[in-house]
Amino acid sequence: MKITNIPNQIIRGAFAPVNKGKIDTIVLHHMAHKTAGVKEVERWHINNGWTAIGYNYFICFDGTIYKGRGLNVGAGVANHNSHIISIGFQGDYHSAKVSMPDSQFNSGVELISYLQSILPNAKKVEGHRYFGGSVCPGTYFPLEEMKKLKKRGETMEKTYNKVNDCPDWSRATVQKLIGKGYLKGDENGNLGLNDTMIKILVINDRAGIYGN
Ligand SMILES: [Zn+2]
């Protein structure tokens, strides 16, 4: 995971470092704007008279993670900033039904996982609306999916390298194919089979394709 600095970041004044042990919640926001990028959001916040962009981190549609205030006290949720880390997500996830791009979603999962690894008490992940007074991060923000901290498109597929790693029902087939020299594996003898391959081998074996 890469965290990028905001180009020519505007900081007017001093940041106060967060007390890492006091951070208990990672709070997610949307921009309620279809396209605004990190520099535009930074400009809004500077125009509010704030020290800098309010979010601790900002994640674009393309998955770029920008460091806003980083591990300094943010300005994401009034009266709560001393115990939260705020992540802003590019986009409007409320006014119309939209789905978050996988690149942005997966960066969100990576960043939250990373923050939880360095902030021992940051166990909760919530939307801004959890604290009231806002619909943020919007009805169409994949909040519950993101809380699961599982990246999209990742298969948790197992690789079977040895006969004994393979499921019981497939071992006779795999052993037979090795015995016949059909299955050799790589230079270290690792078979590199996955579930789909094993199923096909067993079906073929039952069909008599590999003989007795
Ligand atoms: Zn918000």
Side-chain angles (χ1 to χ4, degrees), residues 102 139 185:
D102 291 352
T139 304

Side-chain angles (χ1 to χ4, degrees), residues 29-30 128 136:
H29 302 260
H30 78 145
H128 178 177
C136 178

Side-chain angles (χ1 to χ4, degrees), residues 27-31 55 76-77 127-129 134-137:
V27 181
L28 312 183
H29 302 260
H30 78 145
M31 294 308 108
Y55 304 113
V77 185
H128 178 177
R129 64 173 174 260
S134 177
V135 297
C136 178

Side-chain angles (χ1 to χ4, degrees), residues 18-209:
V18 294
N19 179 335
K20 289 187 185 176
K22 280 203 172 146
I23 302 296
D24 58 18
T25 311
I26 294 167
V27 181
L28 312 183
H29 302 260
H30 78 145
M31 294 308 108
H33 186 288
K34 279 192 168 61
T35 57
V38 71
K39 288 304 280 182
E40 192 167 356
V41 174
E42 176 184 63
R43 184 166 52 78
W44 300 342
H45 291 182
I46 291 288
N47 289 346
N48 286 346
W50 298 357
T51 304
I53 190 169
Y55 304 113
N56 299 86
Y57 300 91
F58 183 92
I59 302 180
C60 300
F61 294 135
D62 69 2
T64 305
I65 301 171
Y66 285 106
K67 184 172 107 181
R69 300 198 188 192
L71 296 175
N72 297 293
V73 177
V77 185
N79 304 318
H80 288 283
N81 294 307
S82 63
H83 69 97
I84 66 171
I85 289 286
S86 282
I87 305 175
F89 287 78
Q90 184 177 23
D92 179 352
Y93 288 100
H94 193 71
S95 341
K97 192 167 195 296
V98 281
S99 41
M100 181 176 283
D102 291 352
S103 47
Q104 188 181 32
F105 180 89
N106 288 344
S107 287
V109 170
E110 283 189 11
L111 179 61
I112 294 166
S113 304
Y114 165 71
L115 290 170
Q116 289 186 327
S117 76
I118 59 168
L119 301 167
N121 301 314
K123 303 220 188 312
K124 279 197 292 185
V125 177
E126 297 292 351
H128 178 177
R129 64 173 174 260
Y130 175 81
F131 298 98
S134 177
V135 297
C136 178
T139 304
Y140 304 108
F141 188 97
L143 183 59
E144 293 310 314
E145 185 190 357
M146 195 168 284
K147 282 184 183 183
K148 292 180 184 145
L149 296 179
K150 187 174 179 297
K151 290 209 270 183
R152 291 177 182 164
E154 266 192 351
T155 56
M156 291 293 163
E157 199 168 67
K158 260 184 92 168
T159 301
Y160 304 102
N161 283 319
K162 303 287 174 217
V163 177
N164 286 340
D165 299 340
C166 296
D168 290 347
W169 49 265
S170 68
R171 278 184 206 160
T173 296
V174 172
Q175 190 62 65
K176 181 202 254 177
L177 294 178
I178 293 169
K180 287 180 177 273
Y182 297 164
L183 197 57
K184 290 188 167 149
D186 65 13
E187 65 275 16
N188 298 314
N190 289 321
L191 300 173
L193 296 169
N194 63 30
D195 285 301
T196 307
M197 293 160 77
I198 283 181
K199 280 177 194 159
I200 292 169
L201 294 177
V202 169
I203 291 166
N204 285 344
D205 194 21
R206 285 175 188 157
I209 287 172

